[in-house]
């Protein structure tokens, strides 16, 4: 079944603890945490101390997306703060494999992400060593952007690679995800949908997330979701 990971980038920052509790009550699968450093992307958000402060407020997995330069400098802090998944960008470090190995050694699941302009071939050498591939369908750095279909072929390529090689890894998509674009991503092979504004602006977040879980990969019946 499709997992839904609401992004707290679109939450009310004045009451984040209550917001993550709300996500659990509404039936979210993960909490998506966007970390930006003002260098790799043109915005600054939160750090490990905020993740640590939020950890007691929910039992949901924290899906921490590091949009930062040289992420190897901070993976230990985020792991200690309570991250469950830590995702780095292939464009952000020269030591991709070493950083992946460090994340796993800290007891977290390792994710790798690529920007819309980055070809799938850039992440292919690392696919056997990760637990999650995060395909960006907007330019990272700001919420509320429009979905870029350039990510769909990458999702399909990742799905084929994982299936052909018997790799049990998640394919997450982040950027401009709503009911329509989320369906397209799942049909292409995505297993996790990260979304911010489309969920937090929804009058019934729980019902909306549940409707996303009905999406199916093309060619598969509901018995093989």
């Amino acid at each position: 079944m499709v997992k839904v990971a609401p992004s707290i980038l679109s939450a009310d920052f004045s009451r984040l603890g209550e917001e993550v509790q709300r996500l659990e009550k509404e039936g979210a699968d993960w909490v998506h945490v966007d970390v930006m450093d003002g260098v790799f992307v043109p915005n600054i958000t939160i750090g490990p101390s905020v993740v640590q402060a939020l950890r007691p407020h929910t039992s949901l997995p924290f899906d921490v997306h590091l949009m930062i330069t040289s992420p190897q400098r901070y993976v230990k802090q985020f792991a200690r703060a309570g991250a469950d998944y830590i995702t780095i960008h292939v464009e952000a470090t020269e030591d991709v494999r070493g950083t992946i190995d460090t994340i796993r050694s800290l007891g977290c699941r390792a994710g790798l992400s690529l920007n819309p302009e980055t070809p799938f071939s850039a992440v292919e050498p690392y696919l056997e060593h990760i637990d999650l591939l995060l395909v960006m369908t907007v330019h990272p750095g700001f919420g509320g952007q429009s979905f870029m279909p350039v990510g769909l072929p990458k999702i399909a390529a990742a799905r084929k690679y994982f299936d052909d090689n018997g790799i049990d890894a998640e394919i997450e998509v982040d950027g401009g995800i709503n009911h329509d674009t989320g369906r397209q991503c799942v049909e292409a092979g995505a297993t996790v949908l990260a979304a911010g504004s489309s969920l937090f602006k929804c009058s019934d977040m729980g019902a909306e997330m549940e409707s996303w879980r009905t999406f199916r990969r093309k060619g598969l019946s509901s018995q093989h979701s």
Side-chain angles (χ1 to χ4, degrees), residues 6-11 13 32-36 41-45 65 67 136-147 174-177 194-201:
S7 170
I8 60 170
L9 183 64
S10 296
F13 270 46
H32 189 76
V33 183
D34 288 308
V35 177
M36 308 178 191
V41 294
N43 200 0
I44 298 173
T45 53
H65 177 196
M67 289 173 274
M136 292 300 298
T137 46
V138 297
H139 295 108
F142 295 94
Q145 299 180 61
S146 296
F147 179 82
D174 183 9
I177 299 299
S197 56
S198 66
L199 288 177
F200 279 91
K201 292 179 181 179

Side-chain angles (χ1 to χ4, degrees), residues 5-6 30-34 55 60-66 82-87 132 134 172 192 194:
W30 297 353
V31 176
H32 189 76
V33 183
D34 288 308
R55 184 68 279 177
L60 292 176
F62 278 179
D63 172 32
V64 177
H65 177 196
L66 300 184
D84 296 279
Y85 287 82
I86 299 179
T87 296
L132 178 151
L134 175 57
E172 186 174 8
V192 183

Side-chain angles (χ1 to χ4, degrees), residues 10-222:
S10 296
D12 183 347
F13 270 46
S14 70
R15 52 187 191 94
L16 276 182
E18 296 174 41
E19 290 281 65
V20 296
Q21 290 174 346
R22 173 192 171 198
L23 295 183
E24 185 164 5
K25 182 178 179 181
E26 295 282 1
D29 297 288
W30 297 353
V31 176
H32 189 76
V33 183
D34 288 308
V35 177
M36 308 178 191
D37 64 355
V39 179
F40 183 68
V41 294
N43 200 0
I44 298 173
T45 53
I46 64 178
S49 61
V50 176
V51 174
Q52 184 176 16
L54 292 177
R55 184 68 279 177
H57 291 272
T58 180
S59 61
L60 292 176
F62 278 179
D63 172 32
V64 177
H65 177 196
L66 300 184
M67 289 173 274
I68 65 177
T69 299
S70 302
Q72 63 272 17
R73 297 175 296 160
Y74 295 103
V75 293
K76 184 177 293 186
Q77 289 94 316
F78 280 101
R80 288 176 174 172
D84 296 279
Y85 287 82
I86 299 179
T87 296
I88 65 168
H89 271 259
V90 70
E91 308 93 349
T93 178
E94 295 181 357
D95 188 17
V96 175
R97 178 62 192 280
T99 307
I100 289 170
D101 290 345
T102 298
I103 293 169
R104 285 183 144 180
S105 73
L106 293 167
C108 297
R109 296 190 177 185
L112 187 61
S113 185
L114 70 167
N115 287 336
E117 298 83 1
T118 303
F120 179 72
S121 58
V123 298
E124 198 165 359
Y126 310 105
L127 295 180
E128 294 183 8
H129 309 286
I130 61 175
D131 303 288
L132 178 151
L133 179 69
L134 175 57
V135 177
M136 292 300 298
T137 46
V138 297
H139 295 108
F142 295 94
Q145 299 180 61
S146 296
F147 179 82
M148 300 173 66
V150 68
L152 293 172
K154 298 175 187 177
I155 297 168
R159 180 76 279 150
K160 184 178 187 305
Y161 187 97
F162 289 146
D163 288 350
D164 288 351
N165 292 279
I167 298 172
D168 182 17
E170 304 280 8
I171 301 174
E172 186 174 8
V173 190
D174 183 9
I177 299 299
N178 55 36
H179 194 276
D180 293 331
T181 59
R183 182 188 297 276
Q184 294 176 51
C185 292
V186 174
E187 288 178 346
T191 60
V192 183
L193 299 175
S197 56
S198 66
L199 288 177
F200 279 91
K201 292 179 181 179
C202 188
S203 59
D204 190 338
M205 183 190 294
E208 182 67 12
M209 291 192 292
E210 191 59 34
S211 74
W212 292 10
R213 295 189 182 95
T214 67
F215 300 157
R216 298 287 179 263
R217 183 182 171 194
K218 281 188 175 180
L220 294 184
S221 68
S222 60

